[in-house]
Amino acid sequence: MPDTFDSAAPPSQTWIRSSRGVFVLLLGVTLAISWGARHRSWRELNANPETRFAQGVPASGSDSYYWFRIAREIREQGGNLGARDPLRAWPEGLERGPTPAYSWLIALTSRAFDGDVYRAGIALNAILSSLFIIPLCLYARGIGYPLAGLLGGYFGGLGHAYVQRSSVSRVDTDGGTLFFMTLLALGIGSLRATATLRRNVILAGLTGLSLAGFCRWYGQPWFWFAYLGTLALYLTFGGFARRQAAVLGLVFAICANPLSLLPGLAGLAHFLRFYVLPAEETVPNPFDYAHITRDISELHPVALWQTLAGVVDLPSVSALGLIGFAAFAVLRWRAALPLLPVALLGLFALRGPQRFGMFLAPLVGIGFGFALHALARTWRESSAPGRRLAEPVAYLGALALAATLLGHTGFASDPKPRVPVRTIAGLQQLASRLPPDPAVLASWGSGYLIADVTGAATFNDGEAPDPLVHYLFARAIASSDPRELVRIVSLLSTYGRSDLHAALDGRREPLAALDALLDREARTAGNVVLLLTERDVLPFPAFFRTGHWDFSLGEGPEDGYVTGDCERSGKQALRCTGSLGGEFGVDLANGRMSGGRWLRRVVETRDGVVVRATEHAQQAPLSLELVPRGRAGSYTAYFVSEPVFKSNFNQLYVL
């Protein structure tokens, strides 16, 4: 298949035509390896259900439970879900958008699993996550670099970051995102300036429909602009006549659903502001969505070597592959244009956000494939002996590379679900004890899980958590005044988001506005349950900072839990390890740690009840809280400052 729009002919046209069978065989092998990794995890999950299920509900990702719940509602209500979702943004409810395509597909697939949307979602995710290999390989073969597609699919499907986000332990739309993006690359790359207008119009229309499906699948209409821009660049530099390019662009835009224009503009602005532009340039106040994004762990920057290790756990190998991709992008830039959105997201991961690491892995494989093609071409065009063996040797080199690095990919990894089984089991116990028409106030990261498992409404959840509700929740649990917690719960139960934002947004004196808001008359919220879980311990410093935000300084103090593991080494002695440094001892009789450090108090709990509390040095900065775990004499230790000790969260949850 000649690369008609590139200035240079493809490096191996004759070889490509004669090796179609080999290509199809290796495409099947690549798919089998990627699917094999997911199938192994599926077998292990079914062999040991007690480690991954709580009464039929699987441990999965935080967002998974939204897809599960909507899929179940589609099955039960026949797709007539109503204009507002009553389990979100209580007490108002949240206006529904289009029915999520993923949930609809899970509901459809559940027919093969006796109506079980959970197992259907897991199986569907395992299948979808490898499908991107097919359009990627076809695109690469179409431009003359089949090994780039095969290795791109191999590294992309088995990259640690992608396996983590598309495993059986994390049911989410990421499993299909790469498929749509590579399908769009194939569609755009298949347009030819020398082809008939009819052929190109049909391809442009089908590619536009693919984009419409992608926007519906991923819920990010700003991709409409990303791919419209990609197509415009491709047509501009691909030798297309202006009239033909205009027709193809119009057909593409119409079939891609032009109603995505305004939502796409808003989505693009949102993405650039909160995910791309440096957060350090401004200090957002807690009523700004940027305040939430700065605390999302997957958006935190990590070291470059860690990002590269998200492909294979040999960062230098990933770096070599990216160098090869850079050569491909420069030397064959016209052919590489359809991959522009994937490349931009993947290279953005080099700045640090872990969220985009999954887009980096295919680029590494494409780079290695391009390098092998370049070496084979150089050998074949030289006068060196055996030059007719250049292409078969390139294939063998690709196989050797894949076999050598298999153990360094995510093939044998077993990603852990973000939501532990014990949390699900606890919520199932809670469900039977909830009041009528219950509403649960909890951190937004648990919102989807709570609604799915308990059937209760929530105040805040994922996708687009409301920053004002998040601030009030953080203030309630970080405060040391239980009366303030009660006021905030009553306030949230009485006024919807629109009323709260009308009272606070844009106020020059936010503290005065907050005080006035908290003084408003509010009803008693007898059906509201405050839910605190172990998932709130690690991010508590962010809750503390938000809840104690100083609006005049534009910042808040960070304080939280310093954790450790302790074992009894005597009746009144502990041996501990943890964040305070190395191994150290604790004398419980006098509240003294190794190195002469004193403790303000030591508190021991059992089954949610304080069984012993001993006061020691009143001026000491830290208190020790001991929570039994596992065998007798073994504890999880929390070292906390006095403000954290007195916080509503600590008093209600840990103690």
Side-chain angles (χ1 to χ4, degrees), residues 38-53 58-60 118-119 122-123 167-171 414 417:
R38 275 86 181 170
H39 185 255
R40 179 189 52 78
S41 298
W42 170 263
R43 289 200 319 270
E44 292 178 0
L45 179 144
N46 286 299
N48 303 286
E50 68 282 354
T51 64
R52 294 293 176 90
F53 288 87
S60 193
Y118 296 118
R119 289 189 179 273
I122 294 171
S167 69
V168 298
S169 298
R170 190 165 180 172
V171 176
D414 184 25

Side-chain angles (χ1 to χ4, degrees), residues 412-577:
S413 64
D414 184 25
K416 302 302 179 186
R418 301 190 64 155
V419 178
V421 171
R422 58 180 176 271
T423 299
I424 299 170
L427 286 174
Q428 289 171 330
Q429 294 177 15
L430 172 68
S432 62
R433 304 200 299 269
L434 289 172
D437 300 320
V440 174
L441 177 61
S443 59
W444 66 267
S446 300
Y448 290 151
L449 172 68
I450 294 165
D452 179 56
V453 175
T454 69
T458 59
F459 291 81
N460 216 4
D461 54 30
E463 184 185 359
D466 188 276
L468 180 51
V469 177
H470 173 68
Y471 165 78
L472 291 171
F473 170 78
R475 178 165 171 167
I477 66 171
S479 171
S480 60
D481 184 356
R483 294 170 298 180
E484 184 168 28
L485 185 150
V486 173
R487 284 199 302 271
I488 288 175
V489 171
S490 298
L491 185 76
L492 288 171
S493 305
T494 304
Y495 301 98
R497 291 183 178 184
S498 55
D499 291 332
L500 295 175
H501 280 279
L504 293 179
D505 282 354
R507 295 296 187 271
R508 293 184 178 180
E509 298 181 0
L511 276 179
L514 277 168
D515 289 340
L517 183 63
L518 291 172
D519 285 339
R520 284 188 178 186
E521 182 178 354
R523 64 185 176 86
T524 301
N527 64 330
V528 175
V529 173
L530 175 67
L531 178 65
L532 307 172
T533 76
E534 63 180 325
R535 301 183 74 214
D536 299 322
V537 174
L538 185 62
F540 186 76
F543 294 137
F544 191 89
R545 183 190 68 237
T546 299
H548 290 284
W549 190 262
D550 189 322
F551 289 88
S552 62
L553 297 177
E555 62 184 21
E558 287 206 12
D559 203 350
Y561 292 83
V562 179
T563 60
D565 298 317
C566 294
E567 302 279 346
R568 283 199 178 270
S569 58
K571 188 174 182 180
Q572 293 292 325
L574 297 173
R575 296 302 302 174
C576 302
T577 58

